[in-house]
Structures are given as structure tokens and as C-alpha cells.
Amino acid sequence: MPLSHSTIYRTVSLLATTSVAVSVFIATAPVIASAAPTGCPPTFALFIPGTWETGEGADPTVSVGMLKPIADSIADKHGSAVQVYTLPYMARAFDNGKTYADSKSDGLSKARHILSETAAKCSNTKFTITGYSQGADIAGDLASDIGNGSGPITAEQVLAVGLLSDPGSGTEGETVIGPHPSGKGIADPRPQGMGKLSGRVASICDPKDLYCSIQKGSSPLLGSLGSVLSKAPSGGGDGEVGDNSRLATVLASNFSQADLPGLVTATGNLTSELSKTDGTVDLEKVTSSASTLANTISPLAELLDSGAVNPEASGQLAASPAGTAENNAHQVLEKAGQSDLSSALSTATSIADTASKLASNGTTTLPAASLDLTSLSTAAGILDRQIAPLSTTPRDILGSASGVLSVLKPTVVVNQVLGVATGLASVDMPAILANLTLLPQKVAALDAQGAHKVAGDLNNQFSPLVKMAAGVDLKWVSQVLSIIPDPSGYSQVAALVASILGGVDIIKLANLVGQIQETAWAAVEKLLPPPGQLPNPLGAGAAMTGLVPVGLELATVAVTMLSGKATKTDPTLLGKQSSTAATTITTQAQNLELSALANSLTAMASAPSSNDLASLIGEGLDAASFFASGAHQNYNSLVVDNSGRNAIQWISDWLNLQVRRAA
């Protein structure tokens, strides 16, 4: 997104003093001459792409993504004097059953290996390391290790390190180029700093990029959630790391083996193969088609069963312009919801297992009269009906929806957790509870005017709760909130409130209140008719008498809200509380009812020293994407110096200068 004129003006103003620092930075960079042995380049330039910009099987000689113009510039200017190597690694997050931390660990391991292998073969070769986004996370960690003596190469072998949108920004020893962000990286600065590489690490961060610039002090929930999702590997056990890992794992979907566009083809292949009557049914083909269907159906069925697919999330997808991946994802979810995917998964798995078992017994084909063929054919027909609505979805829509669906969980959880955590503080829960107690009494007393007034107040007070209940899975949000390591305790108390509300039929309560308000108003009109009409107390009394059962039902439905206690999150679902302070608060709050818990939330949110929780709602939409992808793609237009160079140009010129000086 291009910068506005005012933003550029502020940026250039900020750089008036930065240019001096940059000059000193470039001037003090080491001038190292080397004579590389035969077959070894004088410089090895390692580039580490961001999330989804590469893969484990990518060609390292082909530059990609945000860093491609920089890599191409170095190759063009220096030819064979520089070996440009673009690191192939997982570069995924939350869409392949693995977390961001798993992907980063894979990249770090492979980067260390290629650097140590090259240094062992070519002792005089010097190195540059450049990373973007997740790649900058890896490159920054490498630089910190190298600078502190624990890296795969020595600090003396490194010419320069360039970081774009580094989640570890704010690390001591790096030089900030361009506008100075007000926050730090989402993954937190590296505690060891850059060590001996201080002065040779350049970091560029767009201040609007939450991936490298977030103020965790004023955004504790978002900051804590970001730390968990950026650092926690998959799996998990006891203790804080295990708890965080459990949350991160729960938010991952494994679409790595799913072939949504090939769904119809796989179904057709399976049906066609099992329809053969000439005795040549190929069991290997049956197993392959059924396995493809099971692998495609599985993550979609799991996604539908999670808290990620809810009216609010679906509504946001549906509201996207027609033809976009988001709108297509809504269509796929709609068709998937009309299908019986849980049963379909069981059927497809059964077909694959049966065909595989028959093949393992030495059978490669099935004769037309085989009972096994009849059984498999019947199952295939059932499977076809179970996924019929989904299989009518056009191939192009299925294909474009995959990316959105694969990261729907982290996207939804950010928006929902922030929305619920901030929204609960604005709900006047004590007033709601008082009126819920009073309204059935007014109805029982046949007090039409009193019932109408209380019901009207409740309608207004219920409004935010109704919206929340209609849009989110409060039980699921409660589970997530309960394990966010928020030392303030706000997250844990909010989790308890959400756990109570998750057991209340808020929509039904609101409907009952609305029914009482409407009927009570009709009774009031009979008691106080317009001029020229006589009051009708008998009619009013009859109307109110008819409301008595409604008042009793209201009292019954409201009992959980009025007297329900909070319940702890099942640790087998998402994890235990991971903060000692927060656990203490949770334990103390465990015995409190909704009114006391709500008062506690309100006090926390309104305290002079508290953070502005409401500001998190505005950040949520942007934050949803940086856990999984590069929503920060403004670096080819972000001006970083007084000559008007953007971030990409600056890094290119700087690296070229260091390579030329070392030649």
C-alpha cells in the first residue's frame, strides 16, 4: 500500500538524523580482502525467504519473493564472485499441521548446515545473510548466535546481515534503517544481542507492521498471544512450553495433503474404477483415490468441528467481494456444512484401508463377482452422496479457497479473543443480572408498566451480548483465553466470564425479554389508551396473565447466568494456566459468580494504570494475518533515506557495497 504524502514527509524528517547513523554504519563496516581457493566463491550470499515464499524442495539457485530483487541485483553486479543461495525450508505456518515455530526451527537448522558446510569447504569465503519476515526471524537468530560465538561460522567471516520485517526487531546491536518503529518484534528482541556482529546488522521495519513493531505493554493480550504463536512448537507436555505448544497446535490445520481442486476428480476416479465389470479393478488405484479423498476431507471436517467456523467468521468471508479467495472460502464452507464430512471421512478411510489390506494379501485386482468389490462399490456410492454438496463446487473456487481455509483458525482466534476480551469489559453485567432477577417478578405481579420498562432496559443491555453470542463460540474462546500468559490476570478472569456465558442461551433470553416487552407494551396501551378510548384493564390483565409462563421460562433460562459458577478449562483441550500469577487469580476467582467476576473485569479495564483494551479491536484484523503470512508487503515502497530509496533498494545497495569492498 503506497505511503501518503504526510507519511513520507514524517518519514523523511525522521531520517534527517538517521542518515548520519547510516553513514557511520557503512563507513565502519569491515573491509576484508580474500583470495578464495579454486571452486570457492569470494562471497556466499544467503537469502532466507518469508512464509510461503519457498518450500523444502525449492531450487536454491532461483531467487524468490520479497528478497528476489536484492538477490538478483547482487548476482547481476558480481557474477561468479558471489554465490547466491536462496534457502529452501518449510516456510509454512499453521496450514500443514505445524506451527510457525516448527517452520522456523526447520529453516534455522538448514541455514546453519549450509553455512557450516560452505565454510568448511571454503575457509576464505565471506558471507552475507539476508532475511524477510519469517526468514528475518531465522537470519536474526543466526546473526545473534554468530555474534556471540555459538554460530555455524565466525563473526569475522560475516560481511553484513540484512533484516526486513524482523519479529525479533529491537535486538541490541542492530542498526535501524529508515523510520524507527515505536514497538518491538512480536517474537521479542533476542536477549544476547548481536554481540561481535553489532554494527553489521541492518534492520528495516515499517512502523505499521505489527510483525516487527508491536507495543506489548499497551497490547498485553495481543502481545502474549503473538509470543505464544510465534515461539511455540507443535506437540506439548507439562509446564509453560507445553501449554503454549498445545494452544499453537490446536490452532493449526493440516491442509498439506489436501487436494480440494482434485476432489471431484478423485471421486470420479474411485467410482469409475469400482464400476468396472471386466475383473480388472485395480486395488492400488482404489486405495490411492480413497486416500486422496480422506486427506482432503479430514482437515475440512476438523475445521468445521472447531470454534473457527462460526457466524461471525463466515459472515466476514461472505461479505468479501465476489471472486476473492475469502468469498470462495465462504462458499466452500457453506457446501461443506451441507455435506456429511465426518461420515464421509470414515467411509473414505474404510475404503482405503480395505483396498490396501486386500492388496497386501497379494490381490491386485478384483473379479466382477467379488463380494469385496460389491462392498467397496456400495461404500463408494455412500461416499459420493455424503460429499455431494461439496463436490458440486467449481474446481477454481475450491482451489482459491484452500489458502484462506488453511489459516482460518489463527485468523479467527485473534479476532474473537480480542473481541470477547475487550467486549466483556463494556457489558454492564451487574445491571443485567439485577434486571433479570426483577423482570420475572414484575411479570408475576402483572405490573405491565414496570415489566415494559425493565424489559426495555434489558434489551439495550443485552445487545452487545447477543451480538457476541451469535458470532463466536464462547466456550472455545474461553479455552484460549485461559492459557494466554497474561500476568495482569485479565485474560484469566475474562476466560471465566466467557465460560459461564458459554453455558447460557443468550439468544433465547433476549427473545424472551423481547416478547415480554412487546406484550407488556400492548397491556400498557390497554391501560392508557389514546384520548377518546376507554381503558381496558381486563384486557391488560389477560395479556399480562398470559405472560406469566414466559416469565417463569425466563427465570429458568437465566438461572445459569444468575447463579452459575465458572469452570476451569479442561486441560486435555487446550492446556492449563501457564502463568503463576494468573493461575492464582483464576483459583481465587473460581468461587465467584458472574456479577463479581464482571465487576473485577470492569475494575481492571477502567483502572488508571490499565491498558487501553478497546484499542486491540482495531489491531485485531491486521494481527490476524501476521501469525501465518506476509501481510507486511510494503517494503518496496517504504522510503528509508533522504535520497528516496525504498527498503529493497537500500538493502541491495548496502550489500553490494560490502561485497565490493571485500573483493
Side-chain angles (χ1 to χ4, degrees):
M1 181 173 62
L3 292 175
S4 66
H5 180 273
S6 60
T7 302
I8 295 176
Y9 177 82
R10 290 195 301 271
T11 300
V12 172
S13 298
L14 283 171
L15 292 171
T17 55
T18 304
S19 59
V20 177
V22 172
S23 300
V24 173
F25 178 58
I26 294 177
T28 56
V31 180
I32 305 173
S34 62
T38 304
C40 290
T43 302
F44 183 92
L46 175 63
F47 289 88
I48 310 178
T51 308
W52 294 333
E53 288 189 332
T54 187
E56 294 167 279
D59 185 347
T61 65
V62 178
S63 55
V64 297
M66 182 69 72
L67 302 179
K68 175 176 170 57
I70 304 175
D72 290 348
S73 173
I74 290 178
D76 291 343
K77 292 184 183 302
H78 302 283
S80 60
V82 177
Q83 180 181 348
V84 173
Y85 186 96
T86 298
L87 186 72
Y89 74 105
M90 190 185 296
R92 306 279 288 266
F94 300 105
D95 66 327
N96 61 341
K98 300 292 184 180
T99 68
Y100 173 96
D102 292 327
S103 180
K104 176 186 170 182
S105 176
D106 178 63
L108 188 57
S109 174
K110 289 175 177 173
R112 292 179 70 93
H113 175 75
I114 190 62
L115 290 178
S116 61
E117 182 181 59
T118 303
K121 293 178 181 178
C122 307
S123 58
N124 291 329
T125 293
K126 304 302 176 185
F127 298 85
T128 66
I129 304 171
T130 310
Y132 162 66
S133 186
Q134 185 175 162
D137 205 349
I138 296 167
D141 282 7
L142 271 176
S144 181
D145 288 345
I146 294 169
N148 287 283
S150 59
I153 56 179
T154 66
E156 290 71 27
Q157 293 173 285
V158 178
L159 299 176
V161 178
L163 307 177
L164 280 177
S165 184
D166 173 25
S169 67
T171 298
E172 184 178 353
E174 67 183 18
T175 299
V176 177
I177 305 301
H180 282 242
S182 57
K184 305 295 184 184
I186 189 72
D188 304 314
R190 301 165 184 91
Q192 292 188 94
M194 292 302 176
K196 291 182 179 180
L197 283 187
S198 296
R200 276 178 275 174
V201 180
S203 179
I204 298 178
C205 172
D206 185 333
K208 300 185 298 297
D209 185 350
L210 293 174
Y211 199 59
C212 56
S213 178
I214 180 174
Q215 297 188 53
K216 292 192 176 183
S218 60
S219 302
L221 302 185
L222 181 57
S224 297
L225 188 57
S227 294
V228 169
L229 298 187
S230 63
K231 294 180 179 180
S234 58
D238 295 330
E240 182 172 350
V241 174
D243 294 339
N244 292 347
S245 294
R246 193 174 291 111
L247 170 59
T249 302
V250 164
L251 296 182
S253 296
N254 191 358
F255 276 78
S256 60
Q257 294 183 296
D259 182 12
L260 279 175
L263 180 73
V264 176
T265 300
T267 303
N269 289 342
L270 179 64
T271 303
S272 175
E273 191 64 32
L274 290 172
S275 298
K276 290 182 178 179
T277 58
D278 57 0
T280 61
V281 173
D282 189 329
L283 286 172
E284 185 177 339
K285 290 182 179 179
V286 171
T287 302
S288 176
S289 295
S291 297
T292 296
L293 286 169
N295 290 335
T296 301
I297 294 168
S298 177
L300 201 52
E302 191 273 335
L303 185 62
L304 287 175
D305 289 339
S306 77
V309 179
N310 57 77
E312 182 177 359
S314 298
Q316 290 177 350
L317 294 175
S320 302
T324 62
E326 289 76 14
N327 188 275
N328 289 342
H330 166 69
Q331 295 183 53
V332 172
L333 286 176
E334 193 172 45
K335 293 295 185 181
Q338 296 168 5
S339 305
D340 186 1
L341 293 191
S342 295
S343 298
L345 176 59
S346 177
T347 304
T349 302
S350 177
I351 293 173
D353 289 346
T354 300
S356 178
K357 185 176 181 180
L358 289 171
S360 67
N361 291 332
T363 304
T364 57
T365 60
L366 290 177
S370 167
L371 292 178
D372 290 323
L373 176 57
T374 301
S375 176
L376 288 172
S377 297
T378 300
I382 293 172
L383 175 61
D384 191 50
R385 291 191 294 274
Q386 289 168 336
I387 63 172
L390 182 61
S391 60
T392 62
T393 309
R395 180 186 178 91
D396 59 332
I397 290 179
L398 288 168
S400 67
S402 296
V404 174
L405 296 175
S406 65
V407 294
L408 190 61
K409 283 187 187 178
T411 301
V412 168
V413 78
V414 172
N415 288 328
Q416 287 196 357
V417 167
L418 296 182
V420 170
T422 55
L424 289 176
S426 63
V427 175
D428 191 350
M429 200 68 69
I432 289 176
L433 297 176
N435 282 332
L436 276 178
T437 302
L438 183 60
L439 184 55
Q441 298 173 10
K442 294 291 185 183
V443 171
L446 305 183
D447 181 355
Q449 289 178 293
H452 179 260
K453 181 182 184 308
V454 174
D457 291 342
L458 264 176
N459 258 333
N460 294 329
Q461 294 159 350
F462 257 129
S463 180
L465 276 182
V466 170
K467 183 179 179 181
M468 189 181 297
V472 305
D473 184 334
L474 287 170
K475 286 289 187 183
W476 190 56
V477 171
S478 170
Q479 292 162 6
V480 175
L481 279 168
S482 70
I483 60 169
I484 293 178
D486 172 15
S488 72
Y490 185 93
S491 300
Q492 280 64 43
V493 177
L496 294 173
V497 172
S499 75
I500 296 175
L501 294 177
V504 177
D505 192 340
I506 295 173
I507 305 299
K508 185 173 183 179
L509 274 179
N511 288 335
L512 290 172
V513 170
Q515 184 179 347
I516 292 173
Q517 184 185 24
E518 183 177 343
T519 305
W521 176 244
V524 169
E525 287 185 318
K526 292 180 185 300
L527 289 173
L528 302 172
Q533 295 183 23
L534 294 174
N536 182 6
L538 292 178
M544 292 303 297
T545 301
L547 270 186
V548 171
V550 180
L552 291 174
E553 186 178 5
L554 177 73
T556 301
V557 176
V559 68
T560 301
M561 184 176 280
L562 292 169
S563 60
K565 296 288 197 303
T567 56
K568 290 183 178 179
T569 300
D570 183 351
T572 64
L573 296 177
L574 285 176
K576 307 168 187 175
Q577 285 77 18
S578 56
S579 164
T580 301
T583 301
T584 301
I585 293 172
T586 301
T587 302
Q588 293 172 344
Q590 185 76 26
N591 298 319
L592 298 179
E593 295 181 355
L594 187 56
S595 180
L597 289 169
N599 281 331
S600 177
L601 276 187
T602 303
M604 287 181 177
S606 59
S609 59
S610 69
N611 302 300
D612 185 7
L613 294 171
S615 66
L616 291 181
I617 296 178
E619 295 179 1
L621 186 59
D622 292 332
S625 57
F626 66 57
F627 294 129
S629 66
H632 35 250
Q633 299 175 352
N634 192 42
Y635 290 92
N636 55 5
S637 60
L638 177 68
V639 176
V640 299
D641 69 3
N642 288 334
S643 65
R645 287 183 295 180
N646 63 43
I648 302 299
Q649 293 168 334
W650 192 96
I651 292 286
S652 297
D653 292 347
W654 178 62
L655 290 179
N656 278 315
L657 175 62
Q658 306 316 311
V659 171
R660 185 169 65 251
R661 285 180 169 180

